[in-house]
Amino acid sequence: MPRFFHPYVGKTLLALPLIYTTGWMGYYIYTDAKRRLVVYERKRTFDRRIQETHYLGAEPIDNKKRLAVGHLSEQDKELVRQRWASLKIWGRYVNPFPEWREQGIWEWFFWKLFLTPLSAIFPTEEYPSLEILQQLTEIVQPDFVELKKSSVDDHRLNYTWLGQSTSYVQMAGLKILTDPIFSDRTLDNPPFLGPRRLRPAPCNLHDLPGVDVVLVSHNHFDHLDIKAVHELGNTVSWFVPLGLKDWFNKEGVTNVTELDWWESAKFSHPSSSQEYNITCTPAMHWSGRNGLDTNTTLWGGFHVEEVEKPGQTEEALSFFHAGDTGYSAHLFEGIGQVLGPVTLAAIPMGSYGPRWHLSLHHTDPEGSVLISQDVSAKYSFGVHWGTWVMSDEPPTLPPQDLEIAKAEMGLGNQPDVMRVIDVGRTVVLDPSSSSSSSSSSSSLPSSSSSPLSTPSSSSSFTSKTSMSASTTPLSASPLDSSVLSS
C-alpha cells in the first residue's frame, strides 16, 4: 500500500463527516437565529400597527372582538397576511411561526434508529391488530351515480375521502382533487423504501367523473404521486406552492399555477361563466423529495371560494384543504380571520407520534379540532390517517383520540365537526340546512364498535354509496399485519 495513503486519506475520511455535520449545524444555527428575529419583528410590527390604527377616543378597540372571523377590514386582513407571509433564507423556505424549531436529520435518525428499535424490544403497550381499523372504517366505492349528477349549473356540495389527504370535492359545479395518490406504495423506485397501503384505494383515478382542478399542498411522496401526475397531465389545472412548477414542467405538465402564501388566482370554469378564487394558505410543515431539495419549494394549504354571481340567492360555497401541518394557534386564527368562515374543510389528524418530534409537522386530533374551530368550518372531515404507517401511533388511534378530544371540548354531540368517514364514502352536504349540533349521537365509534354507520337523520349529512358498495365493502387486499414491517 502506498505510503501516502495513511497520513492523508485516512485523516480525510475521518474529517469529512465532521466537516459535513459542523457545516449543517452552522447553517441551522444561522438560519434559525435569523428566522426567530423575523418572527419577533413581525409580531412587534403587527401589535404596534394594530394599536396605532384602532383607537376609539382614549380607549383601544377590543382587538379580540375586532379580529373575529368574518369581521376584519381589508386593512386588518393585510396586517395578518404580512405577519404570516412566507419566508426564504439562503435559498430555502423556513417556517415563520413561534412554535417552530429547526430539526436536523440527526433527530430523525435518533428516533428511527434508536428509539423505535428500543420500543420494539421494550413495548409499553400492546399494538392493536389492524382488524380494528376495519371495524372503525370500511372501504366502500364512491357513489358514482350521485357524483355524476353534478353539473356546472348545480350548487351542490359533495365530499369523498379517497385515503390519506386525497379528497374529491364537487362544489358549485367545480370538481376538485387534492393531493392525489392512488398507488400502493408512496415510493415506486425503489419500491421497498416506501410503506405499503394498509388498505387499497377505494377506486382508480380514471373512475372519477372528471377533474377540473388539482390542489397539491407540497411535494412529499404521500401527497404527490407521479403516476397521478402523468395520468392527469394537462387535462386539469394544477395549483401548487412556489417552486413546484419546475418539477411539473420536467414531467411534461405545463398547465400549472404557482402561488405564494395568501396569493390568489381566479379560475374560470371551462364549461360555464362561473368563477372561483383559489388562494394558497400558510402551513407549518416542510418539503422535499430526495434529501437534497429540502425546503427548496414551498408548502401550504388551499382555500377555494365560489365567486357570487349577480342575483345569486344561495350562499357562496368555500372549501379549505389544510394540507400537512402542525398546529399553530395564531396561524390558523389568522387564516380564519382572513378567509373564514368556510363551508367545508379537510383537516389532517394522523401521523403525530412521537409528539416530541412530529408535533411541529403533523397536528394531532386535538389540533385538528382547533383548526376546524379557528377557520369556522361548517363541515370538517379528518384526513391523513389510516392509509400508511408513517409514525409511531397505531393506525387505529387517531379516531379514538379525536373522540376524546371532542368530548373534552364539549363537542361530542356535534357530528359536523371533524367527522371520520369510511374510505371512499361519498357525503352529500346541504349547506342551507341547519347545523346538526343538536344531534345526541356521537360522530365517532369506539374501538369496539361496528363500522361507521350512516349518520342519523338529525344530521345535515347525507351519506350515500353506490348499490354495489351499499351491501358490502370492497374486499380487495384485506388488512394484513405484514404491511407494518414492509
Side-chain angles (χ1 to χ4, degrees):
M1 185 176 293
R3 184 175 296 179
F4 67 84
F5 176 83
H6 297 284
Y8 298 108
V9 178
K11 292 180 180 179
T12 301
L13 292 177
L14 291 174
L16 284 177
L18 180 62
I19 295 173
Y20 177 83
T21 303
T22 304
W24 275 110
M25 287 183 64
Y27 168 80
Y28 280 122
I29 291 172
Y30 170 78
T31 56
D32 194 50
K34 189 169 183 178
R35 182 193 67 84
R36 290 175 182 272
L37 179 62
V38 172
V39 171
Y40 171 77
E41 290 293 342
R42 285 183 178 182
K43 182 180 185 304
R44 189 174 68 169
T45 301
F46 177 82
D47 293 341
R48 184 182 70 250
R49 292 185 63 185
I50 285 289
Q51 295 299 330
E52 287 176 352
T53 57
H54 293 89
Y55 269 84
L56 183 63
E59 295 294 330
I61 295 177
D62 185 344
N63 287 334
K64 185 174 182 180
K65 181 177 180 180
R66 181 176 56 76
L67 295 177
V69 171
H71 296 85
L72 260 71
S73 66
E74 285 303 318
Q75 183 181 20
D76 290 336
K77 290 181 179 180
E78 184 58 29
L79 293 178
V80 175
R81 294 188 192 101
Q82 291 176 3
R83 182 178 183 185
W84 306 121
S86 63
L87 178 61
K88 197 173 187 180
I89 301 175
W90 277 13
R92 296 179 185 267
Y93 292 96
V94 296
N95 284 286
F97 314 116
E99 298 89 348
W100 182 261
R101 64 176 177 82
E102 292 299 330
Q103 297 173 303
I105 189 64
W106 45 84
E107 187 170 309
W108 185 88
F109 278 124
F110 177 73
W111 167 36
K112 285 296 185 181
L113 300 183
F114 179 73
L115 292 184
T116 298
L118 193 65
S119 63
I121 298 173
F122 304 103
T124 57
E125 58 184 10
E126 184 179 356
Y127 202 84
S129 66
L130 290 181
E131 282 70 17
I132 297 179
L133 183 61
Q134 187 71 54
Q135 293 177 356
L136 285 170
T137 56
E138 295 179 348
I139 309 171
V140 298
Q141 288 183 347
D143 185 358
F144 297 117
V145 174
E146 183 67 34
L147 294 177
K148 289 178 181 179
K149 293 179 182 179
S150 179
S151 66
V152 295
D153 299 321
D154 193 359
H155 203 255
R156 69 174 59 233
L157 181 62
N158 296 337
Y159 177 81
T160 306
W161 181 44
L162 301 175
Q164 198 65 349
S165 294
T166 307
S167 299
Y168 184 65
V169 178
Q170 293 178 324
M171 185 188 78
L174 184 67
K175 299 174 182 178
I176 305 169
L177 185 65
T178 67
D179 290 355
I181 178 166
F182 293 80
S183 297
D184 181 56
R185 292 182 181 268
T186 56
L187 287 175
D188 288 324
N189 188 21
F192 60 85
L193 291 181
R196 285 172 52 197
R197 275 185 182 262
L198 297 176
R199 300 177 292 181
C203 66
N204 295 314
L205 177 55
H206 58 77
D207 294 329
L208 298 176
V211 178
D212 300 315
V213 166
V214 183
L215 309 176
V216 178
S217 63
H218 61 301
N219 65 358
H220 284 165
F221 288 94
D222 61 317
H223 293 257
L224 180 57
D225 185 7
I226 193 169
K227 289 182 179 179
V229 173
H230 290 162
E231 183 171 349
L232 291 171
N234 291 307
T235 63
V236 300
S237 295
W238 297 83
F239 289 83
V240 302
L242 287 180
L244 260 181
K245 186 174 182 178
D246 287 344
W247 182 88
F248 276 86
N249 291 164
K250 292 176 181 177
E251 298 298 328
V253 180
T254 57
N255 191 12
V256 181
T257 301
E258 217 175 45
L259 297 175
D260 195 1
W261 288 352
W262 303 115
E263 187 178 3
S264 298
K266 194 175 293 292
F267 177 80
S268 299
H269 200 286
S271 303
S272 72
S273 59
Q274 181 62 55
E275 293 185 328
Y276 311 85
N277 288 323
I278 301 178
T279 304
C280 185
T281 59
M284 188 165 70
H285 200 59
W286 61 287
S287 67
R289 286 179 77 87
N290 58 30
L292 300 177
D293 62 345
T294 302
N295 294 350
T296 56
T297 63
L298 193 57
W299 51 91
F302 285 92
H303 176 268
V304 184
E305 184 176 25
E306 171 193 12
V307 177
E308 291 191 35
K309 296 179 180 179
Q312 179 174 320
T313 58
E314 302 97 340
E315 180 182 353
L317 301 179
S318 60
F319 168 59
F320 176 52
H321 170 49
D324 249 6
T325 183
Y327 179 67
S328 171
H330 295 297
L331 166 62
F332 286 100
E333 287 174 359
I335 293 175
Q337 290 159 0
V338 174
L339 299 171
V342 300
T343 312
L344 168 65
I347 303 174
M349 53 173 266
S351 296
Y352 51 86
R355 297 306 292 151
W356 63 267
H357 178 63
L358 292 177
S359 63
L360 301 176
H361 308 221
H362 297 142
T363 183
D364 60 2
E366 180 182 358
S368 67
V369 176
L370 293 174
I371 292 175
S372 177
Q373 292 182 313
D374 288 342
V375 301
S376 297
K378 185 170 186 177
Y379 307 106
S380 52
F381 293 86
V383 300
H384 199 271
W385 74 278
T387 308
W388 286 284
V389 176
M390 306 178 72
S391 53
D392 284 355
E393 87 276 359
T396 58
L397 191 60
Q400 299 172 49
D401 278 353
L402 179 61
E403 184 179 16
I404 294 172
K406 290 183 63 174
E408 292 177 346
M409 297 181 191
L411 302 172
N413 63 345
Q414 297 190 24
D416 294 347
V417 178
M418 284 306 298
R419 187 171 184 86
V420 171
I421 61 174
D422 297 328
V423 182
R425 180 77 64 183
T426 295
V427 181
V428 181
L429 304 171
D430 183 7
S432 62
S433 68
S434 59
S435 173
S436 62
S437 60
S438 59
S439 173
S440 60
S441 62
S442 173
S443 63
L444 296 170
S446 64
S447 59
S448 60
S449 67
S450 59
L452 287 173
S453 58
T454 303
S456 64
S457 59
S458 61
S459 172
S460 55
F461 286 87
T462 305
S463 181
K464 300 194 176 192
T465 59
S466 63
M467 293 181 63
S468 61
S470 61
T471 57
T472 179
L474 297 178
S475 58
S477 300
L479 292 172
D480 183 358
S481 59
S482 65
V483 298
L484 294 174
S485 59
S486 60

